[in-house]
Amino acid sequence: MNATQAVRVAEARADFPILHQQVHGKPLVYLDNAATTQKPKPVIDAIVSYYTADNSNIHRGVHTLSERATVRYEAARERVRRFLHAASEQEIIFTRGATESINLVAAAYGRENVGAGDEVLITALEHHSNIVPWQMLCNEKGAKLRVAPINDAGEVVIGEFERLLGRRTKVVAISHVSNALGTVNPVGPMIRAAHRVGAVALVDGAQAVAHIPVDAPALDADFYAFSGHKVYGPTGIGVLYGKKRLLEAMPPYQGGGDMIRTVTFEKTTYNDLPYKFEAGTPNISGVIGLAAAIEYLENIGIENAAAHEHDLLCYATEQLRRIPGVRILGTAAEKAGVLSFLLEGVHPHDAGTILDSEGVAVRAGHHCAQPVMDRYGVSATTRASFALYNTREEVDALARAVRKAQEVFG
Ligand code: C6P
């Protein structure tokens, strides 16, 4: 490890039990972190301890276990609040993931505030989760989905983005970091531009929060969405941050237990924030695991993790560029640890299969971002993505496996 890297990688790797195994007789090299990160021991322990000692339903029971579970659940909300620098815990809604967070805003905010002839502006970099909910809303309302283009490097053309903003724009929905190319969007200025025309701005932070310290109020994001499983936490848990004034004005997303104050057959009154948006028994163990994940990452330091991943990205880019026939997609000036590439004469799925036979786990496909693939005239790429526990030696293993794929299909 380079002496300037503050992440003690060997120590960090020891925290992730899953990394210490062989796949097809080779040491596992896990480079599919943009799809989901592995979970450190403190996260696994938090979930085990919850189910071993405190499991109960929350906000309902008068008994001790329920009180303990409720305390752990709400303490986790406070940790997420601090993580995003939100002003109030009322601004932190637990969801199933980034996808549900975006759907919640499209349904609850969008249905009330977007009408016929209005526009929703997204970018050509978006994941399907930040396209389809807006498309569904626009179809329902007779509104128009506008798309800001990207250049060959995979950067949003900011002049075009600004040109597409107008008095009809009601929502701007943008990714903080592209999952397919790794581009980091200048979300601060983009949010400010959205506000100048009176639109609200949602940021899809699914690929950002593990790599970039996020201060949602400083960004002035109206909504910020992320998934627990991409930030070393469990699957099935996510977060929606929303400005209190907007959340308060929005109708509920789903009806059920916990989101109500009173129910009669004639009328229901709704609970206060954030419970108004958390219908039904939530993913309690997921919330507790997420809080442990955030604590783990904060102890390492997001900036330290980001610096380490940046080093790996630069090193991997250099290594792959040395291999004739490799074409890297996504060469933005600001990139997080995602490396998407094509191998001449080898389909990305075949490349992924050969890499797997060498123990190297990557994602091959359209990465749920088909419009990005269309922009480059390809159907798929092979994608390596880095986390705080990856090493330069693993990048070397990736490069060796890529050469092997070339030989096999040569
Ligand atoms: N991207 C990937 O391999 P969920 O599935 O709700 O946890 O996250 C959806 C999502 C939303 N936005 C971005 C930018 C994303 O990258 C993802 C998930 C994974 O790239 C799985 S498709």
Side-chain angles (χ1 to χ4, degrees), residues 214-226:
V214 173
D215 184 328
L219 285 175
D220 206 13
D222 297 292
F223 301 103
Y224 195 98
F226 75 91

Side-chain angles (χ1 to χ4, degrees), residues 34-35 97-99 127 129 179 204 206-207 227 229-230 363 368 383:
T99 301
H127 183 279
S129 292
N179 70 316
D204 170 2
Q207 295 293 347
S227 295
H229 69 97
K230 294 187 201 290
R363 186 167 174 190
C368 302
R383 183 189 70 183

Side-chain angles (χ1 to χ4, degrees), residues 4-60:
T4 59
Q5 291 160 18
V7 178
R8 285 195 281 275
V9 179
E11 275 174 37
R13 289 181 72 79
D15 295 332
F16 291 81
I18 202 171
L19 296 178
H20 310 284
Q21 62 174 294
Q22 302 221 322
V23 169
H24 302 299
K26 309 271 167 56
L28 169 65
V29 173
Y30 187 79
L31 298 177
D32 195 17
N33 296 290
T36 197
T37 52
Q38 298 303 348
K39 320 306 170 200
K41 197 82 175 29
V43 170
I44 299 167
D45 290 347
I47 295 168
V48 170
S49 93
Y50 166 69
Y51 279 123
T52 309
D54 300 328
N55 175 52
S56 195
N57 212 326
I58 55 164
H59 300 148
R60 290 159 171 84

Side-chain angles (χ1 to χ4, degrees), residues 54-75:
D54 300 328
N55 175 52
S56 195
N57 212 326
I58 55 164
H59 300 148
R60 290 159 171 84
V62 290
H63 59 80
T64 303
L65 292 193
S66 176
E67 276 169 18
R68 273 198 233 143
T70 303
V71 166
R72 288 186 77 174
Y73 184 86
E74 291 304 333

